[in-house]
Structure formats: structure tokens, C-alpha cells
Amino acid sequence: MPVKFTHHASRVTNTMSKASIFAILLSLLTACSPGTKVTRAPESYVVVLSMDGFRWDYPDRYYTPNLDKMARTGVKAASLQPSYPTKTFPNHYSIATGLYPDHHGIVQNSFYDPKLDRVFRMGVRSAVEDSIFWEGEAIWETAEMQGVKTASYFWVGSESNETYRPGFRKFYEDGFSYVQQIDTVMHWLSLPITQRPRLVMFYFNEPDGVGHNSGPESQETKKVVEELDQLVGMISARLKGVEKKEKIRINFIIVSDHGMGFIPEGNQVFLDEVIDLKRVRRINGGNPVFILEPDSGYLEEAYRLLSTTRHIRVWEKGKLPDHYHYGTHQRIPALIVEADSAWGVEIRRRAKGEGIKIEYTRGTHGYDPVNKDMHGIFYATGPVFKQGFIQPTFENVAIYGLLARILGINPTKTDGNFMTINGVLKGY
Ligand code: AMP
Ligand code: ZN
Ligand code: ZN
């Protein structure tokens, strides 16, 4: 049975006078004053937090009492399977749209669009804010089109100049205070009911950074993960405070965009040692997955060289394994190169006056979504969720449909299957 959210007004019977209907509607529109008997419509609220690069098994390795409590009082997924490539921009937008990157157009953190003759890079504001790059329909668009207010604090894709965009939004800043973000989220949820967003999505950029620098299994990563868990405790407590004060119930979901894989030192392939990059027109992406367009006369040779090199694999566009769901979008060029699990692929850069600088990072992501190292997390608590329920691993493209269901809005067609995840809701 689907969870139903009955709006108070729909229960008003014909026998009531116009004046009393008007009084009820007015009291729903304005905050209830003390002594008012009318209870507010049981509207659903959803807060979604993404913690970048939070690998599925960090709570098993490190001390995370607050996430563990969410699992006990709500839902925890065995793991959350990302979409390909398992990078930040493609995946946050897959969560928002329910589409694979091949279908929403953010095919990498950086890419070239041959029709527009423009390059997209996550650090270039003029690209990130241009709706031309963001295809598909994000959950905030679906919601806003149907009159449901939304807010985003740094969610990838929400900065674009679409017609239907979050009514409240903050543009990305590196190193911004998480506590300040939490303050703003609580403020949004405490606004008068006529202004208050029903969907709030926000984003923390760790533990991705520390996972890259120190690897998933390190004292540094442990420290950051445990600090983030403390923040989860703070958010849960403050949401409870808002629920009490505003007399509302809030659903709280935590996800991550992907996990983090460890690369032992020395496990690196340098692309510039394999192919002649001067004969490659375009190359985008980053360790461990690059998308490239060799000069037309060099395509076959480049493919041969790459395919005979150990510890990397190469595919021609359209020939990737089916479960990658990747290879039809016009922004994907002729070749896709990916390192083997636990291996890195880099382009050596010549640092000015320093000779060859070999980059080595202890952790990365971008590999096959089935590779368990790439899996993220999904936790959820609140009135619509079961308690103590373990959800089997599912694909992140299903989350859009879940959010639409909780908000009571009509979803658009997506790649996700709500049925893979409906068991998390009470009544299913
Ligand atoms: P990556 O690990 O390369 O897939 O990307 C992670 C990085 O993306 C984070 O460290 C952030 O700095 C960056 N990032 C996340 N959201 C945004 C955004 N909305 N705009 C620009 N950069 C972002
Ligand atoms: Zn990420
Ligand atoms: Zn990362």
C-alpha cells in the first residue's frame, strides 16, 4: 500500500459553511497562533544530505554512533550503487534526476560538447550555471513546477539558471563551514509555512578530500569520518528541535555520491607514456577514467596502444559493458580509458622548473559502479520510513522516485525503478 498524505482541506465536508472552510484555509496558510484548535495539514518534509565520497563501509571501520542510530531508528542500505563514471558531478545529478549520466548529460566532471563547441568544467562558474549543460529534470524542478518549495545548499546542478530552480539556494564555495550550512538549513525549515521549503538538499565536500589524500583506510580519514558523524548527530538533534517547535515531522536522508578505492604506491599508468597526447584532440576526466578523442588518423593506433597496455582498459564508444549504461550521449568521445581496480591512470605534468612531477594520490573513484569500493551510503529516518530496516544495495537513480513519492508529486520518467527501494517505506 502506498503511503498517503491526506491534505486537511480534502477532508473538509460539504456540510461545512463557506465561512468555516475559509477559517480553516486561513489557519493553514498562516502559522497557528496559540490556542488555535486546527491542526496543520500533515505535509511531508524531506531533508537530504550528501557527504562526498563517504564509502559504504566507513561505519563498519570507524566509530559512527550517530549513523548507527539512524540505522536503528530508520533505514540503512547495505550500500548505494553509484552511476558511471563514479565521479562527483555525474552522480549528484543522477541522484537529483534519476537518470544515468549518459542520459542527463553530465558525462564527467569535465567534458566537451561538440554541438555547442563548449567545454564544461566543474570549477568554471559560467558552465556550472548554464542550464544548457543540465539535461533531464531534477527533483527540485519537478517539485517547483508542482508548487512544492525547495532549497539547495551546494547540490550539484542546482546552480543552473533553469526556469524552475530551488527557491532558496547557495552557490558552491570550497571550505565553507558545515555548521553555518546546518544553521541555514534549520532556518529554512523554520520559516513561516507559506515560505518554508518542503525539500532541502545540502552537500558536504568531505570525506572525499581526505579519502583522496590519505586513502580510505587511514587515521586521517578515520578522524574526518568521525567528525562528520558528530555533525550527523547535531543535524538529527536540531531537526528534532524544529519538529517540536514547528509541529511538523521531517524525513532525513543521508547519501553519498560514490565511495573511495585505495591505490598502492607505484600502481600507476601514465597515459603520456602510452599514447602521443599531441595527437589527441580532446581529453577530459581524471584518474582513474579519461574520455578522449584522438585525431581521426590516430584513432586506431591509439586504441591498439591502449588496449595492449597492462592495468588499464579501453573501450570504443558504444562498446562498454551494459551495466555501465554509458556510451550514447554526444558528449562522450571516441574512447574511454579506465584503470583497473586499485590502479591509477594519470597524465604526467611538467611542473615549471621542477622536472617531472609525478602525481600520486592514495585514493580515488571513477571505476565500475559494480566495484564495491565505489559504493556509497544511504540512511533514512522519519515518519515515512520503517524502523531498523536494512535495504539491499540499490542504484542511486532510484532516489528521485523515492523523493517524489514522499513529497506527493508526480515524477517524470527516469532510469530508476522505485520498486527497487519501496520497501524502505512504511506500508510496503
Ligand atoms: P571529484 O572528487 O573530483 O569527483 O570532485 C569532488 C570535488 O567537487 C569536491 O572536492 C568539491 O570541491 C567539488 N564540488 C562539489 N560540488 C561543487 C559545485 N557545486 N561546484 C564546484 N565544485 C564542486
Ligand atoms: Zn564525489
Ligand atoms: Zn573525489
Side-chain angles (χ1 to χ4, degrees):
M1 269 292 290
V3 180
K4 289 215 177 65
F5 301 98
T6 323
H7 287 269
H8 193 121
S10 66
R11 282 192 257 122
V12 174
T13 66
N14 294 334
T15 54
M16 292 177 110
S17 70
K18 273 189 185 149
S20 59
I21 293 171
F22 180 73
I24 289 171
L25 288 175
L26 191 68
S27 63
L28 284 170
L29 286 170
T30 54
C32 288
S33 55
T36 309
K37 290 267 161 41
V38 181
T39 48
R40 197 168 284 155
E43 282 179 312
S44 49
Y45 291 85
V46 194
V47 172
V48 187
L49 166 65
S50 165
M51 296 195 284
D52 199 317
F54 203 109
R55 188 174 142 137
W56 69 280
D57 58 354
Y58 283 164
D60 303 332
R61 296 162 183 238
Y62 306 129
Y63 181 61
T64 55
N66 294 294
L67 283 171
D68 300 348
K69 187 174 173 196
M70 281 186 77
R72 279 198 311 279
T73 57
V75 172
K76 169 187 173 152
S79 68
L80 181 61
Q81 184 173 312
S83 301
Y84 190 77
T86 52
K87 289 282 185 190
T88 298
F89 264 54
N91 274 281
H92 278 95
Y93 203 51
S94 284
I95 293 169
T97 58
L99 298 174
Y100 295 119
D102 200 26
H103 297 154
H104 67 48
I106 306 298
V107 299
Q108 252 292 1
N109 284 343
S110 60
F111 56 83
Y112 170 72
D113 185 311
K115 277 198 196 146
L116 301 172
D117 189 24
R118 282 179 63 189
V119 172
F120 176 95
R121 284 192 205 294
M122 64 179 186
V124 175
R125 301 301 312 170
S126 56
V128 167
E129 293 173 22
D130 193 336
S131 63
I132 196 111
F133 289 112
W134 304 89
E135 298 173 352
E137 185 178 304
I139 187 70
W140 51 80
E141 286 182 79
T142 311
E144 293 278 346
M145 273 193 273
Q146 295 176 41
V148 170
K149 292 191 169 47
T150 65
S152 161
Y153 212 125
F154 296 166
W155 200 281
V156 167
S158 68
E159 298 149 299
S160 114
N161 55 356
E162 299 278 358
T163 313
Y164 292 98
R165 52 179 94 154
F168 301 92
R169 58 180 186 166
K170 301 278 184 182
F171 286 24
Y172 187 72
E173 274 178 60
D174 228 357
F176 199 82
S177 152
Y178 296 151
V179 173
Q180 220 170 309
Q181 282 184 259
I182 296 168
D183 286 346
T184 302
V185 167
M186 300 305 153
H187 167 72
W188 284 336
L189 292 165
S190 307
L191 285 168
I193 195 161
T194 49
Q195 296 167 35
R196 185 189 300 154
R198 286 218 279 128
L199 171 67
V200 177
M201 300 177 75
F202 70 123
Y203 165 82
F204 292 167
N205 61 355
E206 288 291 355
D208 181 72
V210 72
H212 281 294
N213 290 335
S214 310
E217 196 149 7
S218 64
Q219 282 308 308
E220 291 86 346
T221 300
K222 171 181 160 67
K223 184 167 174 284
V224 173
V225 165
E226 293 180 356
E227 283 167 5
L228 288 166
D229 182 75
Q230 289 300 306
L231 288 175
V232 168
M234 181 203 276
I235 298 164
S236 300
R238 292 191 61 181
L239 285 174
K240 280 219 164 63
V242 173
E243 285 186 314
K244 225 170 145 190
K245 191 167 140 275
E246 302 298 328
K247 298 188 175 58
I248 56 174
R249 299 296 310 280
I250 301 170
N251 298 290
F252 179 34
I253 299 174
I254 300 184
V255 296
S256 59
D257 51 347
H258 51 72
M260 188 63 66
F262 172 61
I263 305 177
E265 197 155 6
N267 280 11
Q268 273 180 304
V269 174
F270 296 103
L271 266 190
D272 45 307
E273 288 180 353
V274 180
I275 50 173
D276 181 0
L277 287 181
K278 287 198 279 305
R279 298 176 70 189
V280 173
R281 229 177 309 157
R282 301 267 171 197
I283 181 154
N284 279 299
N287 182 26
V289 49
F290 288 90
I291 51 179
L292 54 147
E293 187 75 54
D295 290 343
S296 48
Y298 188 52
L299 179 60
E300 268 175 42
E301 193 184 342
Y303 178 82
R304 187 182 53 77
L305 292 167
L306 290 162
S307 61
T308 50
T309 300
R310 291 177 65 207
H311 308 305
I312 57 170
R313 60 194 82 184
V314 60
W315 296 280
E316 289 171 85
K317 179 175 183 173
K319 299 210 174 140
L320 283 89
D322 287 348
H323 73 271
Y324 276 53
H325 302 286
Y326 192 76
T328 64
H329 202 286
Q330 47 107 3
R331 293 172 184 166
I332 300 171
L335 300 179
I336 297 96
V337 175
E338 182 191 310
D340 290 348
S341 185
W343 279 77
V345 56
E346 296 271 12
I347 298 170
R348 275 192 301 193
R349 290 172 230 276
R350 196 176 283 274
K352 274 196 198 100
E354 290 173 18
I356 302 271
K357 182 180 159 231
I358 298 176
E359 293 183 359
Y360 166 61
T361 50
R362 300 177 69 83
T364 200
H365 53 89
Y367 307 97
D368 185 345
V370 168
N371 176 344
K372 201 73 191 276
D373 292 350
M374 296 300 102
H375 285 207
I377 52 168
F378 177 92
Y379 288 83
T381 57
V384 304
F385 293 106
K386 286 179 185 162
Q387 293 186 359
F389 183 79
I390 302 285
Q391 157 74 30
T393 296
F394 69 99
E395 291 185 81
N396 65 4
V397 288
I399 292 174
Y400 169 98
L402 177 70
L403 295 176
R405 180 62 63 111
I406 300 171
L407 292 167
I409 56 178
N410 292 325
T412 189
K413 194 158 168 30
T414 68
D415 293 323
N417 180 359
F418 171 66
M419 304 299 266
T420 59
I421 193 184
N422 61 8
V424 301
L425 295 175
K426 281 179 189 160
Y428 278 90

